[in-house]
Amino acid sequence: MFENPESPVQVLFNHVEKNPFPIAGIVNHPSIKKIKVNFKVGQSHLLSVNNGYFFEIIHRDLSDVSSVEGLDSSNQVVSVAWDINKPSTKTND
């Protein structure tokens, strides 16, 4: 999970379970209404945000995830929570 409590979206992956894998997190931004999990093959999966939290079991391999984004009600990106192409992204493993 991200260590910055002011981050608009904090994401937690369970690195033990690879396929399917649970994803959960906290949304700290009032404009973020959905979470978009992007996969390396160009597909994506939308998650609902309920009361500032999200959780879902995704039936894909965790290694296929390329990024996680927070979207507003018009599906515009508000925040990129995690991106495999940015190795400086802080996570707790």
Side-chain angles (χ1 to χ4, degrees):
M1 186 179 290
F2 290 102
E3 296 186 13
N4 181 357
E6 297 174 8
S7 176
V9 179
Q10 298 182 44
V11 180
L12 174 66
F13 293 105
N14 182 338
H15 292 280
V16 174
E17 298 178 46
K18 302 290 185 187
N19 188 356
F21 68 92
I23 181 172
I26 301 169
V27 174
N28 297 316
H29 195 289
S31 296
I32 296 175
K33 305 298 182 196
K34 300 175 199 166
I35 299 299
K36 183 178 180 183
V37 179
N38 296 305
F39 299 99
K40 294 175 186 174
V41 294
Q43 298 172 333
S44 62
H45 187 85
L46 290 176
L47 310 174
S48 299
V49 174
N50 295 312
N51 298 319
Y53 298 94
F54 60 93
F55 174 81
E56 191 157 332
I57 303 225
I58 297 180
H59 293 272
R60 298 281 296 261
D61 196 286
L62 178 60
S63 65
D64 291 340
V65 175
S66 64
S67 65
V68 179
E69 303 169 329
L71 308 178
D72 64 14
S73 58
S74 62
N75 291 333
Q76 298 299 309
V77 176
V78 175
S79 175
V80 176
W82 182 79
D83 189 338
I84 196 169
N85 296 315
K86 296 191 173 147
S88 62
T89 303
K90 293 175 76 174
T91 61
N92 290 339
D93 288 326

